[in-house]
Amino acid sequence: MKRTVCKIAVFLLLFSLVLTSFTGCARESDEELIALAEALLEKSAAVNEICFGKGLSFGDEDAYITSGYVEATKAAREKYGIETVEEMKALIESVYSVATCDYIDTVIFNPVREGSTFTSYRRYFDALDGEGGVCLMVKKDYEPLAVGDVSYANVRLVSHSRARAEILVDLTVTDGENSRTDRDVSFALRYEQGGWKLDTVTYASLK
């Protein structure tokens, strides 16, 4: 009996060591992950502008208008290669993790409950244009959460495992004539199906 228990204990110990070795080893070198992080950060700037910044521009003249929403301009749609909410979500999902996309869905695409009714504070939604087509609608009076143009520099790796990583970045925000640089801003990355994604939003807040 003691021998059996001993064998089981040894097996569990070896299994634990093997599992630890697999989970502890990084998938890429540090240099490769930094390059991936830089590409994701650059791509996130456009996503943040759409979701948290000024958003897609819209025109008041000759625009399809409904309940405080106006159709996004053709120039804005072409700039980001987006014609529908689903295409917008696909762009977001190419940058951010599943958990972060869920957060963005909540604040950008889902109606907000106010009292006993649903008030549509969605920033974007698809509407029919009356001719069988779809119009990407923008809420006119949406208050942005993010400010200015954002650039990322001096990406450094803090930690790096097979599924998680943390980086530090110098983040420069330009708002009109003014700019500021926030140093050592921390962002997380997560490895999911499809590769590495940012696990925290990367915009600069108005406050």
Side-chain angles (χ1 to χ4, degrees):
M1 181 67 179
K2 289 182 178 179
R3 180 176 296 178
T4 301
V5 172
C6 183
K7 287 181 178 180
I8 293 173
V10 170
F11 171 79
L12 291 175
L13 177 60
L14 291 173
F15 179 77
S16 176
L17 291 172
V18 171
L19 184 62
T20 301
S21 67
F22 275 106
T23 56
C25 293
R27 296 173 183 272
E28 303 82 8
S29 68
D30 290 355
E31 292 75 15
E32 288 172 333
L33 184 62
I34 288 175
L36 288 169
E38 288 173 340
L40 285 171
L41 287 168
E42 183 177 352
K43 196 171 183 179
S44 76
V47 172
N48 294 339
E49 177 66 15
I50 293 170
C51 295
F52 306 109
K54 293 180 180 179
L56 297 182
S57 60
F58 52 84
D60 288 326
E61 296 181 5
D62 300 323
Y64 178 63
I65 302 174
T66 179
S67 303
Y69 289 84
V70 182
E71 182 182 357
T73 63
K74 180 179 179 181
R77 301 195 307 273
E78 290 179 345
K79 178 181 179 181
Y80 298 106
I82 293 169
E83 292 293 339
T84 64
V85 166
E86 286 305 311
E87 291 177 355
M88 186 181 295
K89 288 185 176 182
L91 175 61
I92 297 169
E93 290 168 1
S94 72
V95 175
Y96 285 116
S97 66
V98 171
T100 308
C101 287
D102 287 344
Y103 161 73
I104 293 174
D105 280 352
T106 300
V107 298
I108 301 299
F109 299 112
N110 294 338
V112 176
R113 181 181 290 278
E114 186 175 86
S116 59
T117 62
F118 279 101
T119 304
S120 185
Y121 288 137
R122 295 174 295 177
R123 185 159 196 185
Y124 303 101
F125 78 97
D126 292 330
L128 297 177
D129 63 5
E131 299 179 358
V134 173
C135 295
L136 182 57
M137 307 302 292
V138 184
K139 186 169 177 60
K140 293 178 64 176
D141 58 353
Y142 185 92
E143 293 293 333
L145 303 174
V147 61
D149 297 323
V150 179
S151 60
Y152 311 91
N154 193 23
V155 180
R156 290 93 72 203
L157 196 59
V158 177
S159 63
H160 179 193
S161 68
R162 287 178 62 83
R164 296 282 297 174
E166 182 184 355
I167 58 174
L168 292 178
V169 177
D170 294 341
L171 185 153
T172 299
V173 184
T174 303
D175 183 17
E177 297 179 355
N178 301 316
S179 66
R180 76 172 193 269
T181 299
D182 298 330
R183 302 192 183 280
D184 297 334
V185 180
S186 176
F187 296 123
L189 293 94
R190 179 188 295 272
Y191 189 88
E192 298 179 335
Q193 184 177 3
W196 286 96
K197 303 293 176 62
L198 289 164
D199 204 31
T200 47
V201 289
T202 62
Y203 67 80
S205 173
L206 287 168
K207 297 181 181 179

